[in-house]
Amino acid sequence: MSFIVGIFAFLYFIIRIILIENSSWRTVQNQFIKFFICVLFAAGISAFTIIPTYLQLKANPLPSFEWNLGSVFSVNINFIELIAKFYNGSIRLFDDPNIYGGLLTLLLFPLFFYSKKIHVKEKVIFFLLLLFFIVSFQIQGINIIWHAFQIPTGYKQRFAFLLTFTIIYLAYRVFIILDKDQIRDLFGISFINIATIVILTAISPDLMSMQKAILNIIFLILFTFILYAKVVSIKYEKLIHIVLFTFVLFDVGINSYLHMRTLYSYPGYNYTRDQYNIYTPGFEEVVNKLKNEDGGFYRINSHIQLTKNDSIRYKYKSMDNFNTLSNGTLHDFMHRLGYSTTIGSRSLVQNKGIISSDSLFGFKYEITEKPINKQGYVESFSEVGTILYENKNILPIGFLVSKEQFRLSNEDNPFINQNILLGGEGNYFTRIEPIETKYYNLTVNEINSILYIKKNIPDEEGYIEYTFDLKGDKQFYTLLSAGKGFKGFGETMVYVNGESLGVYPTFHYERILDLGAFSNTRVTIKIAFTVPETQLTQKYFYTLNYPAFEERVNELIKGAITLKDYTDRSVKGEITAKQPDTLFFSIPFDEGWHAKVDGKEVPIVKLGGFIGVDIDQGTHHVTLRYTPKGFIFGCTVSIVSLIVLIIIIFINSGTEWIKFKKRR
């Protein structure tokens, strides 16, 4: 937003320079120098946050925009949609610019270009500014520039408020000089607006319904006659202003209500204020009780969620997050292990978790509303409606590993990568084939490992039923991907032995699905299809050999760090290595982390999306400390800039005081 406002501030500065009457080149030059000196001081004083933020953004692989002729000049929205957004009750809040500034402004700001009291040069300049905004909405390349060369997720024209601001400013300029000479133009503009609404209703009723059209027309007529009364009845001007203000409040209030109602219809936005709190009985009590009883380092996987950032809100360590500044390298690594990253570098979701990697990454507890079926998880305690489970196969924040464990396969099969991550000699995840497959109300064709599915009777239930024979103690997993729609989300439902696991895959839940723990039994998996026709592009079924996994965890624990102390930005511990090795920390990689071994600075090793430290044989004291990259330098720049600015202000004040004394 500051980047956007900064661009606008410069554009407005250029406008004011152009509008200076009889200005010399020296005057213009001095104004430019003053402006950019102020910009430099503003940037310098805020460098303590600008520099670390810039470096973080630069290090994060966000989706990039392909700068070619076709993409730069591609059109985002059509002109009809844009016109409709100027009126009360517009829709398509995410995809089209939100530029509503009130119907009163639509009557007044066009008069800016008709008024004889405003210089032609000023009219031309502001017309070009408005045109530039409109072109920026339409042209993809310019829109990306406004967003600091990044592709926004949702609300694709976030600088739209600048157009609204400019229109309101021009409307105000007209409002304070409005007189009888402009009455005719006022009625003409009112008629044009009403005609535009009627045309929109006729050609695009989804953009302008009849009800919204009537509402807009009523307000336009009211505002027109109130403005007329303001001009012809100077005596009652104060009363007219009160009436005008009241109707403006009604206008923008109704528009706000309609916007909120539209947002409420969108998935993920339809929460009331009460629903925004997690009202599962006992949830906060369990989290707070755990904080009091366990002072060690651990992470929690919560199945009770409202948003993907609940852990930030309720102050517990977790994995799930949605954040533009998220660690894209980490998210890519976790995606390859089977965790959901639907929006790429901006999101990471753990869902029901994966026993193997959850253990390696320190997920000691799991909070649920109902009993879970997981090998190695035992119920710890419960509060009304909330159950806390403890993972018995948990590894601490740091332990010795082989770097080979973090060189994952490029094959899109997270189960292979889970085996690589665990390391050792065991084969922990094994692919399993069904002993029986049945189709109900389906025609299924398999071509190149892809199942093409079509219901014989579209309106009736159609599903595939697989039967598996599981030997030994196993945790059962699947990975399904449907091929139609947006990544096939919402096209399949999964049942285990008749019990529904719900719709899967869905948005934020499109990778590994935990089917439960089983021992020497047959399991029936039912995949029901919610659409008449689709295809399964991925269909993996794997089991985790729990005894082998447990044995591997016990091996890794022997090389675990003894944690002495930790804070939000530091870790201290002691480790004993029988040979030169690598100490892994389940801390996301960031260049701001620094390590010391026995008091000596050592380089940080990047292990997948995490950090590590190479150590020699023997017992060592290891310290990690985090300071955002560029923060110290930024603070130095900020302090120096502030001191220099204060000095300049004192010098200028002293100079002005001396001049004042001389004049006296």
Side-chain angles (χ1 to χ4, degrees), residues 267-280 283-284 302-314 316 320-322 349 367 369 507-508:
Y269 285 78
N270 53 349
Y271 296 110
T272 64
R273 183 172 293 276
D274 288 339
Q275 289 173 324
Y276 184 65
N277 296 305
I278 294 180
Y279 276 124
T280 302
F283 174 77
E284 288 191 72
S302 173
H303 296 189
I304 305 169
Q305 287 189 336
L306 182 67
T307 73
K308 303 309 172 189
N309 293 326
D310 286 343
S311 61
I312 299 173
R313 182 180 178 193
Y314 292 99
Y316 62 87
D320 297 355
N321 71 87
F322 177 88
V349 183
I367 298 177
E369 293 178 279
F507 198 73
H508 286 315

Side-chain angles (χ1 to χ4, degrees), residues 11-232:
L11 292 175
Y12 186 73
F13 168 72
I14 296 296
I15 289 173
R16 301 319 305 174
I17 287 290
I18 295 172
L19 293 178
I20 295 175
E21 295 292 338
N22 302 318
S23 59
S24 64
W25 169 247
R26 186 174 182 80
T27 301
V28 172
Q29 190 178 39
N30 288 338
Q31 292 296 329
F32 265 93
I33 291 172
K34 289 180 180 178
F35 179 86
F36 283 105
I37 286 175
C38 290
V39 169
L40 287 173
F41 274 114
I45 292 170
S46 55
F48 72 96
T49 184
I50 289 178
I51 292 175
T53 303
Y54 168 75
L55 293 174
Q56 181 65 36
L57 281 167
K58 189 177 178 182
N60 193 24
L62 293 169
S64 59
F65 179 71
E66 295 184 6
W67 291 95
N68 56 64
L69 197 62
S71 61
V72 168
F73 291 101
S74 63
V75 177
N76 286 329
I77 56 176
N78 66 50
F79 200 63
I80 298 298
E81 292 174 349
L82 183 61
I83 292 174
K85 298 291 287 186
F86 282 100
Y87 294 99
N88 198 314
S90 65
I91 58 174
R92 300 179 185 172
L93 306 183
F94 286 167
D95 298 322
D96 294 344
N98 296 297
I99 51 179
Y100 187 72
L103 293 168
L104 179 63
T105 63
L106 291 185
L107 292 173
L108 289 173
F109 99 85
L111 293 175
F112 179 88
F113 302 100
Y114 282 90
S115 177
K116 296 178 181 178
K117 298 178 182 179
I118 299 172
H119 198 280
V120 173
K121 183 165 69 171
E122 189 173 4
K123 295 177 184 178
V124 171
I125 290 172
F126 277 103
F127 173 79
L128 292 175
L129 180 63
L130 294 175
L131 182 63
F132 177 64
F133 285 136
I134 292 171
V135 170
S136 298
F137 295 146
Q138 303 280 334
I139 305 301
Q140 173 79 337
I142 304 176
N143 184 45
I144 295 300
I145 293 172
W146 274 106
H147 295 92
F149 302 92
Q150 294 292 342
I151 301 173
T153 301
Y155 298 108
K156 296 180 179 178
Q157 296 86 16
R158 301 187 186 190
F159 62 96
F161 69 95
L162 297 177
L163 174 62
T164 308
F165 173 82
T166 305
I167 288 174
I168 292 173
Y169 168 71
L170 299 182
Y172 171 72
R173 290 282 303 278
V174 172
F175 183 77
I176 59 177
I177 63 172
L178 189 65
D179 57 26
K180 294 180 181 179
D181 293 337
Q182 292 181 291
I183 293 297
R184 183 177 177 180
D185 295 332
L186 173 64
F187 280 101
I189 290 168
S190 179
F191 174 79
I192 291 172
N193 274 288
I194 292 171
T196 302
I197 292 170
V198 172
I199 294 171
L200 282 172
T201 306
I203 65 176
S204 188
D206 59 322
L207 294 174
M208 181 64 70
S209 66
M210 183 61 70
Q211 292 85 350
K212 289 180 182 178
I214 293 171
L215 173 69
N216 279 275
I217 291 171
I218 289 173
F219 270 116
L220 283 169
I221 293 172
L222 280 171
F223 285 133
T224 301
F225 282 101
I226 293 172
L227 290 174
Y228 172 77
K230 165 185 163 56
V231 172
V232 300

Side-chain angles (χ1 to χ4, degrees), residues 29 58 60 63 81 92 98 114 267 270 291 342 348 373 377 386 408 411 421 435 438 451 462 510 523 528 555 566 635:
Q29 190 178 39
K58 189 177 178 182
N60 193 24
E81 292 174 349
R92 300 179 185 172
N98 296 297
Y114 282 90
N270 53 349
K291 290 177 184 176
T342 311
L348 177 62
N373 185 19
Y377 281 72
T386 302
L408 303 184
E411 184 179 347
L421 180 69
I435 60 173
K438 296 179 180 178
L451 295 184
E510 91 291 14
V523 180
E555 290 175 6
Y566 78 93
C635 286

Side-chain angles (χ1 to χ4, degrees), residues 341-455:
T341 56
T342 311
I343 315 180
S345 59
R346 291 183 171 96
S347 72
L348 177 62
V349 183
Q350 189 176 14
N351 295 310
K352 293 183 179 179
I354 307 164
I355 286 179
S356 51
S357 46
D358 283 359
S359 295
L360 269 60
F361 299 147
F363 284 90
K364 186 176 181 180
Y365 297 104
E366 198 151 314
I367 298 177
T368 71
E369 293 178 279
K370 56 185 180 180
I372 62 173
N373 185 19
K374 277 191 172 185
Q375 301 279 9
Y377 281 72
V378 295
E379 184 176 333
S380 180
F381 61 83
S382 63
E383 296 288 341
V384 186
T386 302
I387 309 171
L388 180 75
Y389 285 88
E390 183 176 351
N391 180 7
K392 292 303 182 182
N393 295 295
I394 187 69
L395 284 157
I397 191 172
F399 50 91
L400 298 174
V401 298
S402 164
K403 291 179 182 177
E404 295 297 324
Q405 292 174 233
F406 296 88
R407 293 172 182 148
L408 303 184
S409 167
N410 291 324
E411 184 179 347
D412 187 19
N413 185 334
F415 299 105
I416 293 175
N417 287 326
Q418 285 285 337
N419 280 332
I420 294 171
L421 180 69
L422 281 167
E425 302 298 327
N427 188 26
Y428 315 101
F429 284 89
T430 306
R431 189 164 187 173
I432 184 170
E433 298 296 336
I435 60 173
E436 185 179 16
T437 302
K438 296 179 180 178
Y439 301 123
Y440 294 84
N441 187 33
L442 295 178
T443 297
V444 179
N445 293 310
E446 183 171 357
I447 303 175
N448 297 327
S449 299
I450 297 176
L451 295 184
Y452 292 86
I453 313 292
K454 186 175 182 179
K455 287 185 181 180

